[in-house]
Amino acid sequence: MKIYSIAFQSLRRRKTKTIFLIIGLFLSVTSVVTLITVSENINRSVAINLDEFGANIIITPKSDQLMINYGGLSLGEVSFNNSQLSDNDLQKINTIKNRKNLSIIAPKLFETVNLKGKNVLIAGVRFSDELKLKKWWVIKGKSPLPPNNILVGSNTAEALRIKLNDTVSINEQRLVVSGILSNTGSQDDGLIFMDIFTAQTLFRKLSKLSLIEIAALCYDCPIEDIVSQTSSVLPTANVTPIKQNIESKMMAVHSFERFSLGISLVMLVTSFLIVFANVNSSITERTKEIGIFKSVGYRNSHILQIILTEVIAASLTAGLLGFFAGISASKLVLPFLSMHGLSSFTYNFTTLPIAVLLSLFVGITACIYPAIKASRLDPTVAFRFI
Amino acid sequence: MSLIEIENVSKEYKSGTEIVTAVNNISLEIDRGQFITIMGESGSGKSTLLTMLGGLSVPSKGKVLIDDLNIYALPQNNLSDFRREYLGFVFQTFHLIPYLTVEENVMVPLAVGDLTRIQKKEIVHATLDKVHLKEKSKRLINELSGGEQQRVAIARALINDPLIILADEPTGNLDSKTSEDIMDIFGFLVEESKTILLVTHNKVYQSYADKKIFLKDGKIYGGD
């Protein structure tokens, strides 16, 4: 028999006390693991949803000319007259290392035309991508599907008195207004959108592009990496992250993380107090036992070893059980918190050492003071209990 | 040279605002292999004297020399080691550890030593044999009678082969037949050259003693 055997026998045969000690730590570890796992899954889901909500990277041709703005973003002046981007660039973008993070790639070709005596900016887009990128669009009529259909911004429709199903002639091509965009408060209100291939054909700019917008999923990869990889495959283009979008997305994600962290801290403090109260009362009850150990010649360090071994063993058990219970609880809870984009449940095995270390930290810090107090107990005081 | 020398030992403690003198200027010499009974009424200072001899209660005045060692001049850890090597305690209410078996309780003092598991087992079984409890070595304490529990406590006190056994009313909770059995064990230990200091109320046990000490108000007032 060694010192640790006494500790293990104490844990084994004083079942109620042991169970209370483990439960205190177990509840805390389970709650923290559940919060971490749930928050990771929800953060990922929120991040994916936010990433798809508008572009966060914009690619424009490099230019030393004066800039023309599109929604506050500068477009090379040459882009109207001499597009330097092309359809080939879309293929190059799809070769970057983090291509899996590219959720939406939305190319655009801009051209000005004169309609009913007024200059109007035409945007050739891939409607399938554009509609995914601009989930806030509300279209009166239908989303334009056939190549000769167009979508007119609300301000343009009002200024040119264009109505749904009207026919508009651009460069002698008759185009049907299949939809009118409700007011968005953005540059889109002053545009006319048409299929990009139709625009390239109509303006004799086959394969040419004015800019490319990208919605990148950047929850688990830094946006700077994607920007740098894209820049390296498109050396003649400006690849710019839209800081405002990224920052607001990260702020939303981090707000939830901070909330989870706050709840976890509350759980930890509660658990610490439970374990502290448990160990403290247990040591008071064991004063007589400490007196016996002292009478048979145990040093203070031997008594400290017994108490610490018990708490460490209980903490390790609580940490392991708490991890698995936390993962199971997350699996049960997440469907109730389910949101669009939360397609699969994931958990991280690195949470296991975190759970065990957390349990050990709470267990040891909560017991260290009562344990030292017990080990230094004056034998005469201990003997009053004998 | 005596095994135990107590020189002008006093023990005072505070009780509220009053200072109580539990042991008052006692001097005593005890030789190796002697059986000493310490008698006196409750509050006479018997148990206090015993705990001072056991290195558990620092005297307010005086010196306690055991085997020529001034035990209270020893550093804390050395005093613990001294207790483990020189002393065995037996208490009135046994004071065994309830979650350990008979064998484990007896082995508690050996848990901090360097012996191998097999050596420890051998010593424990030999010691349990002395107190006729070998066959109950795997039992938990609450499965034993009072007399058996006291025999386990004696076995624990003997496990390190100490020179001195300090027994504080060891038969106080036992019936007369069981008490006799326990006293027989003490008698047998004296034959093995153990020095026994027995605190008791029972005058019958004076017949076992080589030396009798009577205490009153913390002072020796009689004996031989």
Side-chain angles (χ1 to χ4, degrees), chain B residues 43-197:
Chain B
S44 60
K46 308 182 296 289
S47 297
T48 307
L49 179 63
L50 206 69
T51 55
M52 283 195 292
L53 284 168
L56 292 163
S57 179
V58 186
S60 310
K61 287 176 200 160
K63 275 197 285 190
V64 177
L65 299 161
I66 296 178
D67 207 13
D68 215 21
L69 272 174
N70 182 358
I71 62 170
Y72 289 104
L74 294 171
Q76 179 96 44
N77 283 343
N78 295 21
L79 181 58
S80 297
D81 297 343
F82 166 83
R83 272 201 295 272
R84 202 166 59 245
E85 287 166 29
Y86 277 76
L87 305 173
F89 284 91
V90 182
F91 304 100
Q92 181 176 356
T93 47
F94 326 131
H95 297 309
L96 300 167
I97 297 170
Y99 55 80
L100 299 178
T101 61
V102 167
E103 186 181 76
E104 288 163 347
N105 262 288
V106 175
M107 212 184 277
V108 164
L110 298 180
V112 294
D114 297 327
L115 298 175
T116 64
R117 198 171 63 89
I118 295 167
Q119 285 171 322
K120 286 176 189 173
K121 284 243 173 194
E122 277 172 8
I123 296 170
V124 167
H125 286 160
T127 313
L128 281 174
D129 206 18
K130 273 187 195 172
V131 295
H132 315 298
L133 272 178
K134 199 176 170 184
E135 70 285 0
K136 294 190 175 176
S137 63
K138 300 290 179 197
R139 299 263 183 100
L140 281 173
I141 294 307
N142 57 13
E143 295 167 17
L144 302 180
S145 68
E148 287 171 330
Q149 289 189 36
Q150 193 58 294
R151 280 190 275 154
V152 176
I154 293 170
R156 183 182 63 193
L158 295 176
I159 196 73
N160 272 329
D161 194 21
L163 288 175
I164 303 161
I165 305 288
L166 302 170
D168 192 357
E169 304 268 14
T171 58
N173 277 354
L174 304 175
D175 59 57
S176 55
K177 171 72 182 73
T178 315
S179 299
E180 269 178 41
D181 292 343
I182 297 297
M183 290 309 295
D184 286 344
I185 294 172
F186 284 128
F188 172 72
L189 292 174
V190 173
E191 284 172 24
E192 285 191 341
S193 299
K194 302 286 180 211
T195 305
I196 295 177
L197 280 97

